[in-house]
Amino acid sequence: MRIALAGNPNSGKTTLFNALTGSHQFVGNWPGVTVEKKEGEYRKDDTVKITDLPGIYSLSPYTLEEVVSRKYLLNEHPDVIINIIDGVNLERNLYLTTQLLDLDIPVVVAVNRMDVVRAKGDVIDRKGLSKALKTPVVEISALKKENLDELMATAVGAGKKDLSEHISYDPQVENAAEDISEIAFSGVNAASKRFYALKLIEGDDKLDLSLTDDQEERIADRIRKIEDFYDDDGEGVMTEARYEAIASIVEGNYKQASRGQTTSDKIDAIVTNRILALPIFIALMTGVYYISAVLVGGPITDWVNDVLLGKYAADAISHVLIALNTAEWLHSLVIDGIVAGVSAVLGFLPLIATLYFFLAVMEDVGYMSRIAFILDRIFRKFGLSGKSFIPILIGTGCSVPGIMATRTIENDNDRRMTIVVASFMPCGAKTDLIALFVASFGFWYFLPIAYFSGIAAVIVSGLILKKTSIFQGDPAPFVMELPEYHMPSAENVLKSVWERCKAFIKKAGTVILVASVAIWFLQNISVQGEFVEFAESTDSILSALGKVIAPIFTPLGFGNWQATVASVTGLVAKEAVVSTYGIIGGIADGNEAGLNMLITSQFTFLAALSFMLFNQLNVPCFAAIGAIREEMKSKFWTVFALVYQTVFAYGVALVVYQIGRVIAGGPFTVWTGVAIAVMIAALWGIVRKPSQRSFGLRESEQLS
């Protein structure tokens, strides 16, 4: 049996899915799109397959998630739908329910968060609600796992019985639906006839129906009649009809206790306050990074790097290789190449896992939605839609899904701009790079500096790009639900941390391993083609390549070949920056100089900050470049994004190092003048009047 879970965002759908499937679930993408697809087996019966549909508000094709969900329900036709509705927001959640009941698929309504409903003193008449909806209703608490067995038993039973009945609307709407169904499907045994008929009234132009010209004309004529009757367009007619039906269903079956402000309202009065919201957000994120880098993640990271990986793991592997009497070059490849490179990356996993833990708690509690609300106010002032924050937030885990998440932004200008700036935030890979400097210098505040520098980069880029002709236009409206605060679920938090850490470890065992082998060979083969054991004086291919490119980065404060090579390998994956230094610094050789000594000997505070910001803001990894190409669907826009990111990153690093150096008492040079010119140009780009829209460029872009 196949069961689909459908519900609004923040209704507890994913919590229910995790509770029903446990570890028996598989995460992928829906065919042809990048919306996450979760499937699993019911933990008590592996013959029951459960699909967690994306969170949606309706079956209208306004967002990619709605398109994906509707296509699955209409084409795959699951045996039963479990519609999760939030008992605290009953009326709003029932809008989707009315549409699901129009499908020829049995529906079981799961009223979630009943523990909260009871705590508030509200009363839901389950039997009365079931009678009004004409479908089974089960009261549950997904978070506390209440009544889940009853829910599944009801769902399995519903899948073996007749279809759920639909809700009846105004007689005029019902007559119109019958007439349109007769016109479109006369003599055809098509599924979901009623759903298609009502969607035609709404004016849905994404329906996959093969209608003749005569059918389309007759249907259009029938729709005009009902629109004239109500003096409204078809979409307005259906919206009004659904909400009238919902009001009738709720009346008598839902009693809300009289109360003042809820706990969530009182908290929001502070954390979303126009004056206090931003300082609280900054203080909270700074605290998260401080705990991650200094109090918890830092000490564990030091032990993992110095003892577990730097001593026990490297020594154990070395002893095995010696016992096997392996060749000296192979011993060096494994210890100085693979172990050193991969260990340098994995060594910072405790710090990153701690950071992921706090972010997962903030998300599960409900604060992340407030951050989106807070930053929407700021983003809109600078020309970016609040919808842009969601991909940027996702990008803090990995830039690739963040870039792909821009598909939910309908406005092309906003979507392209968001793709350009989505990778500015420090993802897990960039956090690994930043952690390298935190460990070497003890500058824990590099982490919050990177986070807020990413936000500042997004805002500055939005101000500059919105003034150009190719990005002009009003930002798209942004609507987001703010869920009530609740205690975080340990299972949800730990599962989120595990999924992110698992992806990090997988990357270290694949991409970083291959990169480490390549770097080892390049540093151990001289330009004459001779194999030599690496030393800094050795004229290796790696150092030769670095020395050629190094002058480009001299104005940024890190014009040595090691930093140059690390920045270039970072284009493959940002973790490769750390693995490159791990190999060069000999992290696996056990000497005290090691990686941290190399870093502190080559970088000043300003140079380290410049290096960190350049690698954070410039072109991301190869995978992200592929995602940009896929989402832009244009060579012009792909090249534009990569060039902008590179130039922007270079400019920021130049200004930070050169201006900072002069402030610290350094001499004024030509490059200081260039940095000042860059600052003036950026300020001009921010304050200048918007350019006139150039339609010629838009046309050429369409041809690319």
Side-chain angles (χ1 to χ4, degrees), residues 8-30:
N8 289 183
N10 300 308
S11 62
K13 180 174 55 62
T14 300
T15 302
L16 176 62
F17 176 74
N18 291 336
L20 294 176
T21 60
S23 59
H24 307 285
Q25 57 181 256
F26 317 94
V27 181
N29 286 329
W30 293 94

Side-chain angles (χ1 to χ4, degrees), residues 7-12 56-57 83-98 109-118 120 122-124 129 133 140 243 246-247 249-250 253-257 259 262 264-265 268 369-370 480-486:
N8 289 183
N10 300 308
S11 62
I56 55 176
Y57 291 105
N83 173 213
I84 300 89
I85 63 176
D86 183 357
V88 179
N89 298 293
L90 194 65
E91 191 165 350
R92 177 177 50 72
N93 279 240
L94 285 173
Y95 189 85
L96 174 63
T97 308
T98 63
V109 175
V111 183
N112 192 25
R113 301 183 69 206
M114 284 303 300
D115 53 326
V116 180
V117 171
R118 289 190 289 267
K120 288 176 176 291
D122 297 345
V123 178
I124 295 177
L129 189 62
L133 290 171
I140 68 167
Y243 276 118
I246 291 169
I249 291 168
V250 170
N253 295 315
Y254 175 57
K255 295 180 180 178
Q256 188 178 50
R259 55 179 175 267
T262 64
S264 291
D265 292 335
D268 281 337
S369 299
R370 273 71 182 179
M480 185 176 191
E481 178 185 0
L482 297 181
E484 291 199 17
Y485 294 102
H486 58 81

